[in-house]
Amino acid sequence: DSGVTQTPKHLITATGQRVTLRCSPRSGDLSVYWYQQSLDQGLQFLIQYYNGEERAKGNILERFSAQQFPDLHSELNLSSLELGDSALYFCASSVEGQGITSTDTQYFGPGTRLTVL
Amino acid sequence: GQNIDQPTEMTATEGAIVQINCTYQTSGFNGLFWYQQHAGEAPTFLSYNVLDGLEEKGRFSSFLSRSKGYSYLLLKELQMKDSASYLCAVRDRTGANNLFFGTGTRLTVIP
């Protein structure tokens, strides 16, 4: 158990709908990262938040957005869902997320499996 | 940008040793990580290298050569539970110090 929690574990929805995925980082971690992993694909970095502020953006679609709240939990919002959005969505957290400490390690949550029908 | 290359699949025998290679090209190298991922589960951290050389952690070791853009993960005394994907990830200063993952190597351990 990494200490990172994600809810829900599974989500089944229809095309065109909107969903929200939730992540709580490990105690003491300030950075949260979101990744998408499609079938047989590598982990694709979506976005990073550090202490409530967006720090880096990866291959995140405009239909997707995220935020990090004062208690450091984060939510990923996916809207106008398409069949191709079906994937595992992972959240990870790390202590500082700025590369200041070279050993800063990301620990992953169990993921949310999203199925769009 | 970042380019990370790993073999797609490998097979090895229980009790044996296997080496999984990773080559990378990145403009602001700031560390290399190995993760293990069982199908449908979260990646779990295995090892980290930022300086050249070998880091040993029980049955797992990881090696880095920065001048060659090369790393390997060495798994000894293979067990059936080691069947998983092994992900190589590079931290890049020019990419906001985020991790960039290879597509992973799927290792199958056979009896």
Side-chain angles (χ1 to χ4, degrees), chain A residues 3 6 9-10 12-13 17 26 29-30 40 44 52-53 56 60 65 67 69 73 75 78 82 84 95 98 106 115:
Chain A
Q6 288 187 248
K9 195 169 176 59
H10 300 279
I12 301 174
T13 189
Q17 295 298 304
R26 295 186 320 156
D29 285 359
L30 297 178
D40 291 334
Q44 298 293 318
E53 297 195 1
I60 189 165
S65 65
Q67 53 185 326
F69 294 85
H73 91 270
E75 293 181 357
L78 314 176
E82 302 175 359
V95 173
Q98 298 183 79
Q106 293 185 25
T115 303

Side-chain angles (χ1 to χ4, degrees), chain A residues 42-84:
Chain A
L43 280 164
Q44 298 293 318
F45 168 67
L46 296 178
I47 197 163
Q48 177 201 359
Y49 278 81
Y50 171 76
N51 206 20
E53 297 195 1
E54 182 186 304
R55 182 158 188 276
K57 259 186 177 179
N59 301 321
I60 189 165
L61 300 172
E62 285 192 12
R63 300 183 285 111
F64 296 0
S65 65
Q67 53 185 326
Q68 187 180 27
F69 294 85
D71 67 353
L72 300 178
H73 91 270
S74 178
E75 293 181 357
L76 179 67
N77 301 296
L78 314 176
S79 61
S80 303
L81 283 167
E82 302 175 359
L83 295 177

Side-chain angles (χ1 to χ4, degrees), chain A residues 36-44, chain B residues 37 87 102-104 106:
Chain A
Q36 179 192 57
Q37 188 175 43
S38 303
L39 194 64
D40 291 334
Q41 296 289 310
L43 280 164
Q44 298 293 318
Chain B
Q37 186 179 25
L87 313 180
T103 52
R106 186 177 301 170

Side-chain angles (χ1 to χ4, degrees), chain B residues 90-109:
Chain B
V90 173
R91 171 175 284 150
D92 189 338
R93 282 191 197 87
T94 66
N97 270 305
N98 275 304
L99 291 184
F100 295 88
F101 283 83
T103 52
T105 298
R106 186 177 301 170
L107 173 67
T108 302
V109 180

Side-chain angles (χ1 to χ4, degrees), chain A residues 33 35 37 40 42-43 45 48 55-56 88 90 98-99 101-110 113, chain B residues 30-31 33 35 37 40-45 48 50 87 91 95-103 106:
Chain A
Y33 311 78
Y35 291 87
Q37 188 175 43
D40 291 334
L43 280 164
F45 168 67
Q48 177 201 359
R55 182 158 188 276
L88 267 169
F90 288 105
Q98 298 183 79
T101 306
S102 65
T103 55
D104 190 44
T105 299
Q106 293 185 25
Y107 294 92
F108 284 78
R113 181 175 292 281
Chain B
N30 193 22
F33 294 76
Y35 284 82
Q37 186 179 25
E41 298 183 9
T44 55
F45 169 70
Y48 165 77
V50 69
L87 313 180
R91 171 175 284 150
N97 270 305
N98 275 304
L99 291 184
F100 295 88
F101 283 83
T103 52
R106 186 177 301 170

Side-chain angles (χ1 to χ4, degrees), chain B residues 27-99:
Chain B
S27 26
F29 179 82
N30 193 22
L32 187 142
F33 294 76
W34 284 96
Y35 284 82
Q36 180 192 61
Q37 186 179 25
H38 287 96
E41 298 183 9
T44 55
F45 169 70
L46 290 178
S47 70
Y48 165 77
N49 297 71
V50 69
L51 299 176
D52 291 352
L54 190 68
E55 294 284 339
E56 297 189 75
K57 261 184 165 187
R59 292 190 300 116
F60 292 7
S61 304
S62 58
F63 171 83
L64 175 68
S65 169
R66 287 171 296 168
S67 62
K68 294 181 179 175
Y70 168 69
S71 173
Y72 67 72
L73 180 69
L74 195 70
L75 290 75
K76 302 175 190 172
E77 302 168 15
L78 279 172
Q79 302 175 9
M80 298 300 289
K81 68 177 182 180
D82 296 331
S83 292
S85 288
Y86 291 86
L87 313 180
C88 172
V90 173
R91 171 175 284 150
D92 189 338
R93 282 191 197 87
T94 66
N97 270 305
N98 275 304
L99 291 184

